[in-house]
Amino acid sequence: MTAQNSSQDNAEAQTNAQPGLPDRGVEVIRHALRTMPFAPGVYRMLGGKGEVLYVGKALSLKKRVTSYTQVGRLPERLRRMVSETASMEIVTTHTEAEALLLEANYIKRMKPRFNILLRDDKSYPWLMLTDGQDFPQIAKHRGKAVKGASLWGPFASVWAVNQTLNLIQRVFLLRSCADSVFNSRSRPCLLFQIKRCSAPCVERIDRQAYGQLVEQARDFLSGKDTALRETLGADMNRAADEMDFERAAVLRDRIRALAQMQDSSVINPASLQDADVFGLWQEAGQTCIQVFFVRGGRNNGSRSFFPAHAQDEAPADILSAFIAQFYDDKPCPAQILVNHALAESPLMAEALALRRGKKVEILNPQRGEKKQVVDHAVANARDALNRRLAETAGQAKLLQGVADVFALDAPPERIEVYDNSHIQGAHAYGVMIVGGPEGFNRKAYRKFRIKGPVTPGDDFAMMREVLERRFGRALREAEEGDTSNWPDVLLIDGGAGQYSAVRAVLDELGVTGVKLVGIAKGPDRDAGREWFHTDHTEPFQLPLRDPVLYYLQRLRDEAHRFAITTHRSGRSKALVTSELDDIPGIGPARKKMLLNTFGSARAVRQAGLEALEAAPGVSRELARVVYGHFHPGWSPD
């Protein structure tokens, strides 16, 4: 790939470019076209501050970008984009398929506002089976692939992977405990008692027999389950013939668990082995895409997505952009089923095959079992979108109610709620949660570790630090013209004293245009009898069953919940800080290795020098350093 920046070529045009004037943007594009090649690649339209407005790909960059100079033929959305274009950048690629992959990567990373955007900020859970151990472990995993482990997935949710993990434990009796727990057991745990583990930790099963269970689990997760059921059935009959009824009962339970796993899927078509099913539904100018994950012939769950796009985007274009971004950071299966034929289906299949390293087939089935599966995904997309539209309508009424109660000019788009949490000043945190037209905006939540110095228990000082840090940054962004994260309402948990203190901080910082509201419980601390404090009015209460009261209570309680969980997380991290962290030369990897070998930091402290030297990965010099750390009076010979 080759990158080119055309801003030097159109410096004169960039100087004159002004938002709202399409001719200026066209002039910028024409300057860029002077040196633009006919090669395939990706182009980026940039605004006056260098922000990415739009990312596109082309088989021929020059031919594709030339179309933007014909403003009269462009839809309104692209005319606005051209009017705001101040410069362009291009990256050439060898093929159009490479350009499509690069385009998807740029869109997902840069989030240009004139592109169709996949809203997917969550990682997906996987099943992980460790390799290279006498007794491998089965467990859940998120994030990057782990060296020395095999992964199966992805699963749509934690619930889906937990259900599969529980059933695999019942069928194959594999251990799920961490190595440190496994190495320190002296008797079987509860999982052995409820027949979900074979207890290799205390040698209730030998290495060879456990290895057979591991291979059976691998075959099953890879979709080779027909032979497994036949093998288990033959073993059960053989055990019964030999009058080993206890073993026959265990095998019977495993066969039943296996059948339950196969019957638990909402969709489980015999014609699908490894596939993702995409169902798109549109209504009221919004789109929902439901994705089903099928791996090894089993349904790994589904997830609903609501991509951001302009009103005039066609369903096939939305689906194409979504799929390209969807597989930017996750492996692609052999088959993809869709309910709209993609405009560039062969190109998309070529690009995904390039990333996968194997053939990828994109199907738009019109009949048969595959069509039924796609229709099922579409029905789920329709139901999910209807629920979202109903929730949005209810949310709009609540926000209008907030505007009426607090005399706002319009329903608030962003409500920020603040709270603190600490124990006698220790592990103090402040938090901010955000609510708006789409409910709680968890991506906008923020945590503030109180740096101080603050007198223990001084909630006013803690709130001052949080607000200074939050609005110090917001004011700098506002000076640069970015007010997208500026709140309409600021809600705090407290009465007149807390309200006055926050009001003073905001006035001192020069924060204007924000409605400050304090919510305080009555003298008996009963929810539902809250008093509201705001400017230019006496404290007041809302009717007991007022929906706006319930909504404000939910906001306050969500901030309190987030503050408590943030505080607990910070306190837990402090509690698990190991005394091994203070030893020179001991990093995270060696710390984990020592804990896995000895079971605890206390056991490391009590270990002799010879035991430390015998530990895997510990050199003679490092063993002496560790031993000397715990025995200050000791010195090497």
Side-chain angles (χ1 to χ4, degrees):
M1 299 180 188
T2 304
Q4 297 182 20
N5 189 330
S6 64
S7 57
Q8 294 180 352
D9 298 313
N10 56 24
E12 179 183 354
Q14 181 175 345
T15 302
N16 297 325
Q18 300 176 21
L21 299 177
D23 292 344
R24 299 298 187 187
V26 171
E27 185 180 351
V28 169
I29 295 173
R30 284 176 177 163
H31 273 269
L33 285 169
R34 292 178 180 177
T35 57
M36 193 168 295
F38 288 94
V42 173
Y43 57 92
R44 286 176 285 179
M45 306 288 197
L46 306 181
K49 297 178 182 178
E51 74 278 17
V52 180
L53 302 175
Y54 184 79
V55 175
K57 58 89 183 163
L59 176 62
S60 172
L61 285 167
K62 193 157 191 169
K63 288 182 178 180
R64 179 69 183 91
V65 174
T66 299
S67 65
Y68 292 104
T69 62
Q70 301 171 356
V71 180
R73 299 182 179 181
L74 298 177
E76 177 60 28
R77 175 178 61 92
L78 294 184
R79 282 201 293 269
R80 291 203 318 271
M81 182 265 292
V82 169
S83 72
E84 297 183 28
T85 300
S87 62
M88 288 189 64
E89 293 179 353
I90 66 168
V91 177
T92 59
T93 60
H94 295 98
T95 65
E96 189 179 9
E98 288 183 359
L100 190 150
L101 295 176
L102 183 60
E103 176 198 36
N105 179 268
Y106 279 169
I107 293 173
K108 193 164 185 179
R109 182 159 50 90
M110 300 174 181
K111 301 188 184 314
R113 56 192 174 93
F114 287 100
N115 281 98
I116 299 169
L117 299 180
L118 162 62
R119 295 171 174 172
D120 180 23
D121 58 344
K122 298 180 180 179
S123 61
Y124 292 79
W126 296 68
L127 271 180
M128 179 182 70
L129 185 59
T130 57
D131 300 325
Q133 295 178 309
D134 290 343
F135 299 99
Q137 170 203 17
I138 186 78
K140 292 178 293 185
H141 175 73
R142 282 186 185 267
K144 296 181 179 179
V146 177
K147 186 177 180 180
S150 301
L151 297 178
W152 284 271
F155 289 81
S157 63
V158 173
W159 178 86
V161 74
N162 281 340
Q163 184 186 46
T164 303
L165 177 61
N166 292 339
L167 289 170
I168 283 181
Q169 287 177 306
R170 290 169 55 190
V171 175
F172 304 106
L173 309 177
L174 302 184
R175 72 175 181 96
S176 58
C177 56
D179 291 343
S180 57
V181 175
F182 176 80
N183 293 328
S184 61
R185 296 295 306 181
S186 59
R187 59 181 181 178
C189 66
L190 179 62
L191 289 178
F192 175 77
Q193 305 296 333
I194 61 176
K195 298 180 180 179
R196 283 175 51 184
C197 181
S198 54
C201 54
V202 291
E203 300 181 349
R204 295 298 180 94
I205 185 173
D206 60 35
R207 178 180 176 182
Q208 181 178 0
Y210 190 88
Q212 292 177 351
L213 294 177
V214 170
E215 291 306 313
Q216 289 177 354
R218 289 183 184 278
D219 289 343
F220 176 77
L221 290 170
S222 299
K224 305 172 184 176
D225 48 10
T226 303
L228 174 61
R229 296 188 67 171
E230 295 175 355
T231 300
L232 291 177
D235 290 345
M236 181 183 68
N237 293 332
R238 189 181 307 110
D241 293 340
E242 296 172 356
M243 305 187 72
D244 187 353
F245 299 116
E246 183 176 355
R247 172 171 169 73
V250 170
L251 291 168
R252 178 204 61 200
D253 293 341
R254 291 179 61 192
I255 294 172
R256 287 179 177 176
L258 182 61
Q260 180 182 351
M261 182 185 293
Q262 293 174 324
D263 294 340
S264 62
S265 300
V266 177
I267 58 169
N268 191 17
S271 58
L272 291 183
Q273 185 67 17
D274 290 318
D276 286 339
V277 184
F278 295 82
L280 180 146
W281 183 263
Q282 288 187 313
E283 194 168 328
Q286 297 189 41
T287 299
C288 177
I289 298 177
Q290 190 81 11
V291 185
F292 280 93
F293 303 92
V294 179
R295 297 295 184 273
R298 290 173 299 279
N299 179 22
N300 282 359
S302 65
R303 181 176 289 188
S304 301
F305 299 88
F306 302 90
H309 61 84
Q311 295 281 349
D312 57 352
E313 294 285 3
D317 294 335
I318 296 173
L319 197 54
S320 293
F322 177 89
I323 290 175
Q325 295 174 52
F326 185 78
Y327 291 113
D328 179 63
D329 58 355
K330 61 181 66 67
C332 178
Q335 282 189 335
I336 295 174
L337 274 62
V338 296
N339 68 317
H340 289 277
L342 307 186
E344 297 180 315
S345 185
L347 176 63
M348 181 70 71
E350 179 187 351
L352 295 178
L354 186 66
R355 171 157 289 169
R356 181 173 183 256
K358 297 180 181 178
K359 180 182 178 181
V360 174
E361 191 177 17
I362 300 178
L363 304 175
N364 176 218
Q366 301 300 312
R367 62 182 67 84
E369 190 176 43
K370 288 186 175 68
K371 177 67 163 55
Q372 295 175 4
V373 174
V374 172
D375 289 345
H376 183 68
V378 172
N380 277 265
R382 181 185 62 242
D383 293 343
L385 183 55
N386 287 337
R387 289 193 299 269
R388 183 183 178 89
L389 292 173
E391 292 169 0
T392 301
Q395 189 74 7
K397 291 181 180 179
L398 289 174
L399 293 175
Q400 182 60 56
V402 171
D404 295 340
V405 168
F406 297 111
L408 303 178
D409 294 334
E413 293 291 325
R414 182 182 176 100
I415 302 176
E416 293 184 357
V417 192
Y418 293 82
D419 199 3
N420 298 326
S421 183
H422 60 91
I423 296 180
Q424 297 180 342
H427 310 300
Y429 285 86
V431 300
M432 175 189 81
I433 68 115
V434 178
E438 296 185 357
F440 292 120
N441 182 5
R442 289 182 170 81
K443 289 177 63 177
Y445 285 17
R446 294 294 181 266
K447 307 173 185 178
F448 302 88
R449 184 173 182 177
I450 303 300
K451 300 176 181 179
V454 174
T455 304
D458 189 347
D459 286 339
F460 289 170
M462 294 180 189
M463 184 62 71
R464 167 178 283 273
E465 178 179 330
V466 169
L467 292 173
E468 288 177 345
R469 290 163 61 182
R470 159 66 179 115
F471 283 98
R473 179 175 180 178
L475 288 168
R476 290 192 299 271
E477 292 175 346
E479 290 176 358
E480 298 173 356
D482 182 7
T483 58
S484 58
N485 293 327
W486 194 263
D488 300 304
V489 176
L490 196 156
L491 183 67
I492 58 169
D493 185 10
Q498 192 81 341
Y499 174 87
S500 299
V502 173
R503 180 78 273 169
V505 174
L506 296 181
D507 292 342
E508 182 181 326
L509 293 172
V511 175
T512 59
V514 177
K515 186 70 172 182
L516 176 62
V517 178
I519 176 173
K521 292 183 180 179
D524 52 1
R525 307 292 292 172
D526 282 345
R529 301 183 61 188
E530 284 85 350
W531 286 89
F532 292 92
H533 302 261
T534 186
D535 51 353
H536 309 308
T537 184
E538 293 295 322
F540 62 91
Q541 292 179 302
L542 292 174
L544 188 61
R545 300 185 182 278
D546 192 330
V548 176
L549 173 61
Y550 290 148
Y551 177 60
L552 295 171
Q553 288 173 343
R554 281 179 57 210
L555 289 171
R556 188 260 327 270
D557 295 343
E558 171 67 4
H560 188 62
R561 178 203 66 78
F562 189 51
I564 292 294
T565 56
T566 300
H567 166 73
R568 286 175 178 170
S569 176
R571 187 179 62 189
S572 298
K573 290 179 180 178
L575 291 175
V576 300
T577 300
S578 171
E579 53 191 317
L580 301 182
D581 295 332
D582 299 328
I583 305 176
I586 297 295
R590 284 176 171 167
K591 172 185 171 183
K592 181 178 180 180
M593 178 196 59
L594 286 171
L595 291 175
N596 287 342
T597 301
F598 293 96
S600 66
R602 180 181 179 184
V604 176
R605 184 175 67 247
Q606 295 175 347
L609 180 59
E610 293 182 358
L612 290 170
E613 291 177 346
V618 177
S619 64
R620 185 169 181 268
E621 292 75 13
L622 184 59
R624 292 186 171 213
V625 171
V626 174
Y627 188 80
H629 177 81
F630 293 115
H631 302 82
W634 175 84
S635 61
D637 296 334

Short mmCIF file of all heavy atoms in Angstrom, two decimals, residues 18-55:
data_model
loop_
_atom_site.label_atom_id
_atom_site.label_comp_id
_atom_site.label_asym_id
_atom_site.label_seq_id
_atom_site.Cartn_x
_atom_site.Cartn_y
_atom_site.Cartn_z
N GLN A 18 -14.60 26.86 3.07
CA GLN A 18 -15.49 27.26 4.15
C GLN A 18 -16.67 26.30 4.17
O GLN A 18 -17.26 26.04 3.13
CB GLN A 18 -15.99 28.69 3.95
CG GLN A 18 -14.88 29.73 3.90
CD GLN A 18 -15.44 31.11 3.61
OE1 GLN A 18 -16.63 31.36 3.82
NE2 GLN A 18 -14.61 31.99 3.13
N PRO A 19 -17.03 25.79 5.38
CA PRO A 19 -18.19 24.91 5.46
C PRO A 19 -19.44 25.62 4.94
O PRO A 19 -19.64 26.81 5.16
CB PRO A 19 -18.29 24.61 6.97
CG PRO A 19 -16.91 24.85 7.49
CD PRO A 19 -16.35 25.94 6.65
N GLY A 20 -20.28 24.85 4.27
CA GLY A 20 -21.52 25.39 3.76
C GLY A 20 -21.41 25.90 2.34
O GLY A 20 -22.40 26.31 1.75
N LEU A 21 -20.22 25.90 1.77
CA LEU A 21 -20.06 26.35 0.39
C LEU A 21 -19.56 25.17 -0.45
O LEU A 21 -18.37 24.88 -0.47
CB LEU A 21 -19.05 27.50 0.34
CG LEU A 21 -19.43 28.76 1.14
CD1 LEU A 21 -18.32 29.78 1.05
CD2 LEU A 21 -20.74 29.35 0.62
N PRO A 22 -20.46 24.46 -1.17
CA PRO A 22 -20.05 23.30 -1.95
C PRO A 22 -18.96 23.61 -2.95
O PRO A 22 -18.08 22.79 -3.23
CB PRO A 22 -21.36 22.85 -2.62
CG PRO A 22 -22.44 23.40 -1.75
CD PRO A 22 -21.92 24.68 -1.21
N ASP A 23 -18.99 24.82 -3.55
CA ASP A 23 -18.00 25.15 -4.55
C ASP A 23 -16.59 25.11 -3.99
O ASP A 23 -15.64 24.72 -4.69
CB ASP A 23 -18.29 26.54 -5.12
CG ASP A 23 -19.57 26.56 -5.95
OD1 ASP A 23 -20.03 25.47 -6.31
OD2 ASP A 23 -20.10 27.66 -6.21
N ARG A 24 -16.41 25.52 -2.74
CA ARG A 24 -15.09 25.48 -2.12
C ARG A 24 -14.62 24.04 -1.97
O ARG A 24 -13.46 23.72 -2.22
CB ARG A 24 -15.13 26.16 -0.75
CG ARG A 24 -15.51 27.61 -0.79
CD ARG A 24 -14.52 28.44 -1.59
NE ARG A 24 -14.81 29.87 -1.49
CZ ARG A 24 -14.20 30.81 -2.19
NH1 ARG A 24 -13.27 30.47 -3.07
NH2 ARG A 24 -14.52 32.08 -2.03
N GLY A 25 -15.53 23.16 -1.55
CA GLY A 25 -15.16 21.75 -1.41
C GLY A 25 -14.83 21.13 -2.75
O GLY A 25 -13.89 20.33 -2.87
N VAL A 26 -15.59 21.49 -3.78
CA VAL A 26 -15.31 20.98 -5.13
C VAL A 26 -13.94 21.44 -5.60
O VAL A 26 -13.19 20.68 -6.23
CB VAL A 26 -16.42 21.44 -6.11
CG1 VAL A 26 -16.03 21.11 -7.54
CG2 VAL A 26 -17.75 20.79 -5.76
N GLU A 27 -13.59 22.67 -5.28
CA GLU A 27 -12.28 23.19 -5.66
C GLU A 27 -11.17 22.39 -4.99
O GLU A 27 -10.16 22.07 -5.61
CB GLU A 27 -12.18 24.67 -5.28
CG GLU A 27 -10.89 25.34 -5.73
CD GLU A 27 -10.84 26.80 -5.34
OE1 GLU A 27 -11.88 27.33 -4.87
OE2 GLU A 27 -9.77 27.40 -5.47
N VAL A 28 -11.37 22.05 -3.72
CA VAL A 28 -10.39 21.23 -3.00
C VAL A 28 -10.25 19.87 -3.68
O VAL A 28 -9.13 19.37 -3.89
CB VAL A 28 -10.83 21.05 -1.52
CG1 VAL A 28 -9.99 19.98 -0.83
CG2 VAL A 28 -10.71 22.37 -0.77
N ILE A 29 -11.35 19.25 -4.05
CA ILE A 29 -11.32 17.93 -4.67
C ILE A 29 -10.62 18.00 -6.03
O ILE A 29 -9.84 17.11 -6.39
CB ILE A 29 -12.74 17.36 -4.79
CG1 ILE A 29 -13.33 17.13 -3.40
CG2 ILE A 29 -12.75 16.07 -5.59
CD1 ILE A 29 -14.80 16.74 -3.40
N ARG A 30 -10.89 19.04 -6.80
CA ARG A 30 -10.25 19.17 -8.12
C ARG A 30 -8.74 19.33 -8.00
O ARG A 30 -7.98 18.80 -8.82
CB ARG A 30 -10.86 20.35 -8.86
CG ARG A 30 -12.25 20.03 -9.42
CD ARG A 30 -12.89 21.23 -10.06
NE ARG A 30 -14.19 20.88 -10.65
CZ ARG A 30 -15.13 21.76 -10.98
NH1 ARG A 30 -14.90 23.06 -10.79
NH2 ARG A 30 -16.27 21.36 -11.51
N HIS A 31 -8.30 20.07 -6.98
CA HIS A 31 -6.87 20.18 -6.75
C HIS A 31 -6.27 18.82 -6.43
O HIS A 31 -5.17 18.48 -6.89
CB HIS A 31 -6.61 21.15 -5.60
CG HIS A 31 -6.51 22.59 -6.03
ND1 HIS A 31 -5.33 23.18 -6.38
CD2 HIS A 31 -7.48 23.54 -6.18
CE1 HIS A 31 -5.55 24.44 -6.71
NE2 HIS A 31 -6.86 24.68 -6.61
N ALA A 32 -6.99 18.03 -5.61
CA ALA A 32 -6.50 16.70 -5.25
C ALA A 32 -6.45 15.78 -6.46
O ALA A 32 -5.56 14.91 -6.57
CB ALA A 32 -7.38 16.09 -4.16
N LEU A 33 -7.39 15.95 -7.41
CA LEU A 33 -7.46 15.08 -8.57
C LEU A 33 -6.26 15.26 -9.51
O LEU A 33 -5.96 14.38 -10.31
CB LEU A 33 -8.75 15.35 -9.34
CG LEU A 33 -10.03 14.78 -8.71
CD1 LEU A 33 -11.26 15.33 -9.42
CD2 LEU A 33 -10.02 13.25 -8.77
N ARG A 34 -5.57 16.38 -9.42
CA ARG A 34 -4.45 16.63 -10.32
C ARG A 34 -3.36 15.57 -10.18
O ARG A 34 -2.71 15.22 -11.17
CB ARG A 34 -3.87 18.01 -10.04
CG ARG A 34 -4.78 19.16 -10.40
CD ARG A 34 -4.12 20.49 -10.04
NE ARG A 34 -4.98 21.62 -10.38
CZ ARG A 34 -4.67 22.89 -10.12
NH1 ARG A 34 -3.50 23.17 -9.55
NH2 ARG A 34 -5.50 23.86 -10.46
N THR A 35 -3.14 15.10 -8.98
CA THR A 35 -2.08 14.11 -8.74
C THR A 35 -2.64 12.76 -8.32
O THR A 35 -1.88 11.89 -7.88
CB THR A 35 -1.12 14.61 -7.64
OG1 THR A 35 -1.89 14.89 -6.45
CG2 THR A 35 -0.41 15.88 -8.09
N MET A 36 -3.94 12.56 -8.44
CA MET A 36 -4.54 11.31 -7.99
C MET A 36 -4.42 10.23 -9.06
O MET A 36 -4.75 10.47 -10.23
CB MET A 36 -6.01 11.53 -7.61
CG MET A 36 -6.62 10.37 -6.84
SD MET A 36 -8.24 10.81 -6.13
CE MET A 36 -7.78 12.08 -4.96
N PRO A 37 -3.96 9.03 -8.70
CA PRO A 37 -3.78 7.96 -9.70
C PRO A 37 -5.09 7.25 -10.03
O PRO A 37 -6.11 7.43 -9.34
CB PRO A 37 -2.81 7.01 -9.01
CG PRO A 37 -3.12 7.17 -7.55
CD PRO A 37 -3.50 8.61 -7.37
N PHE A 38 -5.05 6.43 -11.07
CA PHE A 38 -6.19 5.60 -11.42
C PHE A 38 -6.16 4.24 -10.69
O PHE A 38 -6.97 3.37 -10.97
CB PHE A 38 -6.22 5.35 -12.94
CG PHE A 38 -6.60 6.56 -13.74
CD1 PHE A 38 -5.65 7.41 -14.27
CD2 PHE A 38 -7.94 6.86 -13.93
CE1 PHE A 38 -6.01 8.52 -15.00
CE2 PHE A 38 -8.32 7.98 -14.68
CZ PHE A 38 -7.34 8.82 -15.21
N ALA A 39 -5.25 4.08 -9.75
CA ALA A 39 -5.07 2.81 -9.04
C ALA A 39 -6.18 2.59 -8.02
O ALA A 39 -6.86 3.54 -7.60
CB ALA A 39 -3.71 2.81 -8.34
N PRO A 40 -6.39 1.33 -7.58
CA PRO A 40 -7.34 1.09 -6.50
C PRO A 40 -6.80 1.62 -5.18
O PRO A 40 -5.58 1.73 -4.99
CB PRO A 40 -7.47 -0.45 -6.48
CG PRO A 40 -6.22 -0.94 -7.11
CD PRO A 40 -5.82 0.09 -8.12
N GLY A 41 -7.70 1.94 -4.27
CA GLY A 41 -7.25 2.46 -2.98
C GLY A 41 -8.39 3.02 -2.16
O GLY A 41 -9.58 2.82 -2.46
N VAL A 42 -8.01 3.77 -1.11
CA VAL A 42 -8.96 4.36 -0.17
C VAL A 42 -8.71 5.86 -0.11
O VAL A 42 -7.56 6.31 -0.09
CB VAL A 42 -8.79 3.74 1.24
CG1 VAL A 42 -9.65 4.45 2.26
CG2 VAL A 42 -9.14 2.25 1.20
N TYR A 43 -9.78 6.64 -0.10
CA TYR A 43 -9.66 8.10 0.02
C TYR A 43 -10.38 8.56 1.29
O TYR A 43 -11.35 7.95 1.75
CB TYR A 43 -10.25 8.80 -1.21
CG TYR A 43 -11.70 8.47 -1.48
CD1 TYR A 43 -12.72 9.24 -0.97
CD2 TYR A 43 -12.04 7.36 -2.27
CE1 TYR A 43 -14.05 8.94 -1.22
CE2 TYR A 43 -13.36 7.04 -2.52
CZ TYR A 43 -14.36 7.84 -2.00
OH TYR A 43 -15.68 7.54 -2.23
N ARG A 44 -9.86 9.64 1.85
CA ARG A 44 -10.45 10.23 3.06
C ARG A 44 -10.71 11.71 2.83
O ARG A 44 -9.82 12.45 2.42
CB ARG A 44 -9.51 10.06 4.27
CG ARG A 44 -9.45 8.65 4.81
CD ARG A 44 -8.46 8.54 5.93
NE ARG A 44 -7.08 8.54 5.44
CZ ARG A 44 -6.01 8.47 6.22
NH1 ARG A 44 -6.15 8.44 7.53
NH2 ARG A 44 -4.81 8.46 5.70
N MET A 45 -11.93 12.14 3.10
CA MET A 45 -12.29 13.55 3.07
C MET A 45 -12.07 14.12 4.46
O MET A 45 -12.60 13.59 5.45
CB MET A 45 -13.76 13.73 2.66
CG MET A 45 -14.15 13.04 1.37
SD MET A 45 -13.46 13.88 -0.06
CE MET A 45 -14.48 13.20 -1.39
N LEU A 46 -11.31 15.21 4.56
CA LEU A 46 -10.97 15.81 5.85
C LEU A 46 -11.60 17.18 5.98
O LEU A 46 -11.68 17.95 5.01
CB LEU A 46 -9.45 15.93 6.00
CG LEU A 46 -8.64 14.65 5.80
CD1 LEU A 46 -7.16 14.93 6.01
CD2 LEU A 46 -9.10 13.55 6.74
N GLY A 47 -12.03 17.52 7.21
CA GLY A 47 -12.61 18.82 7.50
C GLY A 47 -11.54 19.85 7.80
O GLY A 47 -10.33 19.59 7.75
N GLY A 48 -11.97 21.05 8.16
CA GLY A 48 -11.05 22.14 8.40
C GLY A 48 -10.13 21.93 9.56
O GLY A 48 -9.04 22.52 9.61
N LYS A 49 -10.50 21.09 10.54
CA LYS A 49 -9.65 20.83 11.70
C LYS A 49 -8.91 19.50 11.58
O LYS A 49 -8.35 19.00 12.55
CB LYS A 49 -10.51 20.81 12.97
CG LYS A 49 -11.19 22.13 13.26
CD LYS A 49 -12.05 22.03 14.50
CE LYS A 49 -12.76 23.35 14.76
NZ LYS A 49 -13.65 23.25 15.96
N GLY A 50 -8.94 18.93 10.39
CA GLY A 50 -8.25 17.66 10.17
C GLY A 50 -9.08 16.45 10.52
O GLY A 50 -8.61 15.32 10.40
N GLU A 51 -10.34 16.65 10.95
CA GLU A 51 -11.19 15.52 11.29
C GLU A 51 -11.63 14.78 10.03
O GLU A 51 -11.80 15.40 8.97
CB GLU A 51 -12.42 15.97 12.09
CG GLU A 51 -13.50 16.70 11.30
CD GLU A 51 -13.23 18.18 11.10
OE1 GLU A 51 -12.06 18.59 11.27
OE2 GLU A 51 -14.17 18.91 10.73
N VAL A 52 -11.77 13.46 10.14
CA VAL A 52 -12.16 12.65 8.99
C VAL A 52 -13.67 12.74 8.81
O VAL A 52 -14.44 12.39 9.71
CB VAL A 52 -11.72 11.19 9.17
CG1 VAL A 52 -12.14 10.36 7.96
CG2 VAL A 52 -10.22 11.10 9.38
N LEU A 53 -14.10 13.22 7.66
CA LEU A 53 -15.53 13.34 7.36
C LEU A 53 -16.09 12.08 6.71
O LEU A 53 -17.21 11.67 7.01
CB LEU A 53 -15.77 14.53 6.42
CG LEU A 53 -15.31 15.91 6.90
CD1 LEU A 53 -15.51 16.92 5.78
CD2 LEU A 53 -16.07 16.32 8.15
N TYR A 54 -15.30 11.48 5.82
CA TYR A 54 -15.81 10.35 5.04
C TYR A 54 -14.64 9.52 4.57
O TYR A 54 -13.56 10.04 4.26
CB TYR A 54 -16.60 10.86 3.83
CG TYR A 54 -17.25 9.77 3.00
CD1 TYR A 54 -18.42 9.18 3.41
CD2 TYR A 54 -16.66 9.35 1.81
CE1 TYR A 54 -19.02 8.18 2.64
CE2 TYR A 54 -17.25 8.36 1.04
CZ TYR A 54 -18.43 7.77 1.45
OH TYR A 54 -19.00 6.78 0.72
N VAL A 55 -14.84 8.21 4.54
CA VAL A 55 -13.85 7.26 4.01
C VAL A 55 -14.53 6.43 2.93
O VAL A 55 -15.63 5.92 3.13
CB VAL A 55 -13.30 6.33 5.11
CG1 VAL A 55 -12.36 5.29 4.51
CG2 VAL A 55 -12.57 7.14 6.17
#
